[in-house]
Amino acid sequence: MTDAAVRAVLLDLEGTLYARGSVIEGAADAVAALRELGVGLRFLTNTDSKPAERIQAELAGYGLDVAAEELFTPVVAAAQLLSAAGARTYPLVSRELREVLPTLADEPPYTHVLIGDCRDTLDYAALDGAFRAVRDGAVLLALQTGRYFKRADGDHLDTGAVVAAVTYASGAEARVLGKPATDFFELAAASLGVPVSACVVVGDDATTDIAGGRAAGCGTVQVRTGKYEDQRAEGLTGRATHELDSVAGIARLVREWGVV
C-alpha cells in the first residue's frame, strides 16, 4: 500500500463477495464493517448481461446490502458514452440489455458496435454483422474482455473470446469499457469524489481487478477466492499490494492502513 490513507474501497463482486452461487463467508459482515469505517464504497463488476437493478436484487439474495447507485458496471459506462455520442449502435449483447441500452439501430449505417455477453443472441449472422459494421468504420466497444467466468457447473467462455474474433477478423482495436481499463477505475473513483490514488481495489482476478487497479494507481488487495487458484497456477498472481484469504479480512486491513 502507498503512504496515502484510504478514502474508498472498490470491491469486485463475483469471486470476491460471492462465488459459484454462494456468498463468501464473512462478506456481508465485511461490507458492514467498511461502512462503519466511513470509507466510500463502489461495487465493481464486469457483468455485462444485465442492468444494475437486477444485479442489486441478486446481491440482496446473497444477504449483501448494496444500493443501485453504488454499483459500477460497464453497462452503465456504455449507456453514458453512447448517449453522449448520439450513436447508431449495432448491439451484440444479451436480449435483456437490448431492452435498456440507448441508441440501438436496426440497420446501417452504424457508428458503434457494442459487444457484451451475447450467449442468448450469438449466431454466425450476428457475429458477421458486427464484423461488417466495424469494417465499414464503426467504433468497436467491448463491455469487457474476460477470458472465462465461473459458475456452479464449471467454467464458461466469456465476452473476450467474442471480442477477439471481431478484432482478429476486422483488424480493429476495441475500446474496453470495463475492467481492467484505467478509465473504469478512474470513473468509479470520480463518482465518489475521491482521487483514484486514495482507492483500494479488492478482487480475485489478477488480470482485471489487480492489473487494472495497479495501472490506475490504486492500492490492490488480492483475495484467495474465486479465480485465485487457477491464476496462481498460471503464475499470474503475486502482484497485488496485499493478499488476503478472503474479503472477510478487508476492514481490518483498511483500518491498519488508516482512513481519511
Side-chain angles (χ1 to χ4, degrees):
M1 181 63 187
T2 65
D3 292 334
V6 179
R7 295 182 61 185
V9 177
L10 312 180
L11 285 158
D12 172 53
L13 296 183
E14 190 168 358
T16 301
L17 295 181
Y18 62 90
R20 298 181 183 272
S22 299
V23 67
I24 298 293
E25 184 177 357
D29 289 340
V31 172
L34 288 171
R35 293 193 191 283
E36 289 180 7
L37 287 176
V39 295
L41 290 179
R42 284 293 179 267
F43 297 83
L44 310 187
T45 176
N46 266 355
T47 296
D48 56 343
S49 60
K50 61 193 79 168
E53 290 75 16
R54 189 148 80 87
I55 297 172
Q56 180 192 22
E58 291 172 356
L59 290 173
Y62 289 119
L64 297 167
D65 182 18
V66 177
E69 60 270 20
E70 291 180 313
L71 286 166
F72 205 81
T73 81
V75 176
V76 172
Q80 294 175 354
L81 185 153
L82 293 169
S83 293
R88 288 181 54 84
T89 308
Y90 181 98
L92 194 54
V93 297
S94 68
R95 290 188 181 90
E96 186 171 8
L97 283 194
R98 288 184 179 186
E99 298 298 319
V100 299
L101 282 169
T103 78
L104 304 188
D106 295 325
E107 58 185 26
Y110 301 105
T111 60
H112 295 73
V113 169
L114 181 66
I115 300 180
D117 184 324
C118 53
R119 74 190 97 163
D120 62 347
T121 59
L122 182 63
D123 57 25
Y124 180 80
L127 189 63
D128 198 44
F131 159 72
R132 294 177 67 179
V134 173
R135 282 285 293 268
D136 287 341
V139 175
L140 179 58
L141 302 176
L143 289 179
Q144 51 105 348
T145 54
R147 293 165 52 203
Y148 68 96
F149 61 90
K150 288 182 171 289
R151 288 289 185 268
D153 63 348
D155 298 347
H156 296 268
L157 198 72
D158 207 351
T159 300
V162 182
V163 175
V166 176
T167 58
Y168 175 74
S170 67
E173 293 290 331
R175 177 179 176 183
V176 182
L177 301 179
K179 298 179 288 186
T182 297
D183 284 351
F184 187 76
F185 295 95
E186 290 178 342
L187 287 169
S191 74
L192 286 162
V194 303
V196 72
S197 59
C199 296
V200 173
V201 176
V202 184
D204 68 304
D205 193 328
T207 66
T208 57
D209 304 312
I210 305 308
R214 281 170 53 89
C218 302
T220 52
V221 177
Q222 172 98 55
V223 290
R224 302 186 187 106
T225 52
K227 291 181 178 179
Y228 176 79
E229 287 300 331
D230 287 355
Q231 294 187 343
R232 185 175 66 85
E234 296 180 68
L236 298 174
T237 59
R239 297 173 176 84
T241 310
H242 199 91
E243 286 193 6
L244 292 173
D245 285 340
S246 80
V247 72
I250 187 59
R252 175 189 57 78
L253 185 61
V254 169
R255 192 179 297 111
E256 289 174 2
W257 283 339
V259 177
V260 176

